[in-house]
Amino acid sequence: MDSVDKYFEAVEQNQQQFIEALREVVAIPSVSGDAARRGDVVRMGEWLQARWEALGATCKRVDPGKQNLHGVELDLPPVILGQYGDDPSKKTVTLYGHYDVQPALVEDGWETDPFTLVERADGRLVGRGATDDKGPVLGWLLCAETHKQLGIELPVNLKFCFEGMEESGSEGLDEIIIAEADKWFKGTDVVCISDNYWLGKSKPCLTHGLRGVSYFHLVVEGPGADLHSGVFGGTVHEPMVDLVQLLASLVDSKGRIQVAGIYDQVAPVEAAEERTYDALDFNHAALVGDLKSDVVIHADERDTLKHRWRFPTLSIHGVEGAFHASGDKTVIPARVRGKFSIRTVPNMEPAAVAAAVTKHLEKEFSKLGSKNRMEMVETHAGRWWYSSPDHPNFVAAARATERVYGVKPDLTREGGSIPVTLTFEENLKRNVLLLPMGAADDGAHSTNEKIDRRNYIQGIKLFGAYLHEIAATDLAA
Ligand SMILES: C[C@H](N)C(=O)N[C@@H](Cc1c[nH]cn1)C(=O)O
Ligand SMILES: [Zn+2]
Ligand SMILES: [Zn+2]
């Protein structure tokens, strides 16, 4: 039995302990978008740092500074930089992950408390962050800890960068990576990020493309205070009426963005790219099952994937300041803030996207003839990323995947965004691999987020196998 098989056996035996560790981190409600939870985000970062240090890693806590969250001045959570092993004869793999999570409230439709990990009879481990991104971040730690317990030397040096603001635009992170590219991250041979998902539920994949995201707030305000709709309805310009019309002008019900000039920035689909959609583990029947309803726009699987991976999309996320509680409150809100984002693809540039959106909204607002005031703010923007899957980093990961799952992985792109991918690639000048742990139906950002026990445990094996494959791979080939 070689050392990788011994490692696999130990991971199998330690399953319950690994689930308990996941329970411990899910219980820390590290919601970066909620000012009231900022202490928990920091606590989560400190938890990670303490556990890596206990293992023998050298860590550096970098505090990126302050953030203004709707007028509240907050300390940004720490970026935890780490180094585990510094043998010059070994290759160095830099890992990135995030320890913050999306908001989660029971009243959104969670069947159980989002911050209490629950294992279902079918193996689902349900809890906020289980798949995005606490399971994978913990997976790297458990991989290193298991090697140490077994007395198996990790075949590579690790460097890592774990942040607590990914779900809120990674504020402050780019500057740290740029500043540390030739310092902390010096010596990196390849970068690996586990923060996305398989295309389906049964076949693993490696991911070589991401969409970018430009996030906007659209504020409409008028009266100095909320008003009685019986007294003032029909006699004043209502901010909410203006806002819904502006939001509705952005996209149609078939998902087509209505902002002039947006599609002009999109690279055409080439014949070679067309072939990459062949034989992927993806079908509409499974998608409809995951969605629990047939709300799919496109008739053809390829079109669905293209609209997920390589065409821009616009989503409307919510309205702050509007009445949303139960009951029938007859109010005219005085100031409302609509939130929407555009997922961007090659060759879109955030500045051009923001300019097109501003022009569109100004034109639409002027058509309303309203005396309210409108303001649009781009709150964050991250760029798309596209890379070749032929690099030895991907070849090593494909071998590791075959060893764990017994199949060659699909090569996929991802509709979501991990803007730091490009920051690492450009500044460390090293190949970046996305190695997902979770499955398509995990429900990241949704209610009842989960990771399957199988993906979590096999994923921890995969991480170990990948590090061993990297050690054995000629990265210059
Ligand atoms: C794919 C990754 N796990 C993820 O969920 N990324 C987020 C990043 C983001 C950007 N703004 C807010 N969050 C996403 O794609 O929404
Ligand atoms: Zn994530
Ligand atoms: Zn996320």
Side-chain angles (χ1 to χ4, degrees):
M1 194 188 264
D2 76 0
S3 55
V4 177
D5 285 326
K6 279 192 200 131
Y7 168 71
F8 286 178
E9 196 178 88
V11 173
E12 279 292 322
Q13 280 162 7
N14 288 346
Q15 287 194 34
Q16 205 47 45
Q17 200 181 309
F18 292 169
I19 290 168
E20 292 317 312
L22 186 59
R23 193 183 310 286
E24 196 177 335
V25 295
V26 164
I28 303 176
S30 49
V31 181
S32 54
D34 181 349
R37 297 288 201 191
R38 188 51 55 92
D40 294 310
V41 185
V42 173
R43 187 154 62 91
M44 185 62 231
E46 288 170 348
W47 186 98
L48 270 178
Q49 176 170 356
R51 189 104 171 216
W52 273 101
E53 282 178 345
L55 188 62
T58 305
C59 292
K60 176 163 104 163
R61 171 185 169 140
V62 185
D63 288 294
K66 302 267 183 206
Q67 176 199 16
N68 190 304
L69 191 64
H70 306 328
V72 185
E73 178 108 321
L74 290 172
D75 284 326
L76 286 164
V79 173
I80 308 298
L81 301 180
Q83 161 119 27
Y84 185 61
D86 63 349
D87 181 340
S89 70
K90 291 180 183 170
K91 298 184 186 92
T92 298
V93 178
T94 288
L95 308 172
Y96 160 85
H98 64 92
Y99 61 80
D100 62 319
V101 294
Q102 287 276 323
L105 299 170
V106 177
E107 52 269 34
D108 291 341
W110 283 76
E111 285 160 12
T112 49
D113 170 34
F115 300 105
T116 303
L117 190 80
V118 174
E119 181 166 15
R120 306 284 185 163
D122 58 5
R124 276 182 296 145
L125 300 166
V126 181
R128 176 54 93 220
T131 195
D132 182 15
D133 186 28
K134 287 183 172 175
V137 164
L138 193 58
W140 292 115
L141 173 72
L142 296 171
C143 167
E145 285 181 350
T146 305
H147 275 80
K148 190 169 183 186
Q149 279 156 18
L150 293 171
I152 301 173
E153 209 181 309
L154 214 59
V156 295
N157 303 312
L158 293 179
K159 289 185 192 256
F160 53 82
C161 171
F162 297 131
E163 68 152 323
M165 277 298 283
E166 196 270 353
E167 300 293 10
S168 303
S170 293
E171 221 174 312
L173 183 65
D174 274 3
E175 293 76 2
I176 293 169
I177 294 170
I178 293 164
E180 296 288 354
D182 293 324
K183 296 178 190 149
W184 195 271
F185 297 116
K186 193 173 160 61
T188 295
D189 291 292
V190 287
V191 179
C192 182
I193 297 176
S194 184
D195 185 23
N196 69 303
Y197 325 99
W198 294 355
L199 195 51
K201 287 189 280 268
S202 53
K203 196 167 174 205
C205 64
L206 309 179
T207 305
H208 61 102
L210 289 161
R211 291 197 293 182
V213 61
S214 291
Y215 205 105
F216 302 96
H217 287 196
L218 177 60
V219 178
V220 181
E221 59 186 341
D226 289 357
L227 301 172
H228 188 303
S229 66
V231 178
F232 295 101
T235 66
V236 297
H237 292 285
E238 296 193 17
M240 191 65 182
V241 171
D242 290 352
L243 181 68
V244 293
Q245 292 181 82
L246 293 173
L247 292 176
S249 76
L250 291 166
V251 63
D252 72 14
S253 293
K254 293 270 168 64
R256 180 92 190 158
I257 300 174
Q258 303 296 302
V259 178
I262 284 290
Y263 291 101
D264 301 347
Q265 304 175 35
V266 178
V269 182
E270 306 291 350
E273 185 191 330
E274 200 61 65
R275 287 191 288 278
T276 64
Y277 294 92
D278 295 340
L280 294 172
D281 176 33
F282 183 74
N283 66 74
H284 274 170
L287 178 64
V288 167
D290 294 347
L291 292 168
K292 299 178 185 68
S293 168
D294 184 359
V295 288
V296 177
I297 292 176
H298 307 283
D300 180 61
E301 269 94 355
R302 272 169 192 263
D303 285 335
T304 297
L305 285 181
K306 284 180 190 162
H307 283 87
R308 184 185 290 183
W309 291 350
R310 63 105 56 234
F311 292 138
T313 52
L314 189 152
S315 299
I316 298 172
H317 306 295
V319 178
E320 216 176 292
F323 169 58
H324 67 277
S326 56
D328 307 341
K329 189 178 179 189
T330 49
V331 68
I332 297 173
R335 184 174 197 272
V336 282
R337 180 186 287 264
K339 299 180 184 184
F340 65 96
S341 70
I342 297 183
R343 296 288 172 170
T344 55
V345 297
N347 296 314
M348 296 168 80
E349 285 297 331
V353 171
V357 172
T358 305
K359 194 170 167 195
H360 171 89
L361 288 171
E362 280 170 355
K363 190 171 144 208
E364 292 299 316
F365 188 62
S366 73
K367 282 193 213 163
L368 299 180
S370 170
K371 289 187 185 168
N372 289 325
R373 291 171 300 284
M374 180 204 81
E375 190 196 10
M376 193 209 77
V377 189
E378 183 194 60
T379 52
H380 67 267
R383 288 173 296 160
W384 50 267
W385 167 78
Y386 182 79
S387 174
S388 160
D390 298 331
H391 190 276
N393 194 18
F394 280 75
V395 175
R399 275 202 216 103
T401 306
E402 264 199 274
R403 183 157 185 181
V404 173
Y405 286 102
V407 286
K408 280 195 199 317
D410 276 341
L411 297 174
T412 63
R413 289 163 74 170
E414 169 71 55
S417 311
I418 313 175
V420 73
T421 309
L422 190 61
T423 314
F424 275 115
E425 186 180 275
E426 287 181 345
N427 292 282
L428 273 54
K429 299 181 178 54
R430 292 291 179 267
N431 181 267
V432 186
L433 159 79
L434 300 190
L435 184 62
M437 180 187 251
D441 63 339
D442 281 359
H445 294 204
S446 180
T447 47
N448 307 306
E449 175 182 347
K450 60 89 179 166
I451 191 161
D452 293 326
R453 176 190 271 258
R454 175 227 192 188
N455 282 59
Y456 181 51
I457 299 302
Q458 299 294 77
I460 296 169
K461 288 186 199 167
L462 176 63
F463 289 177
Y466 163 69
L467 299 179
H468 284 267
E469 288 292 347
I470 284 290
T473 297
D474 178 2
L475 293 175

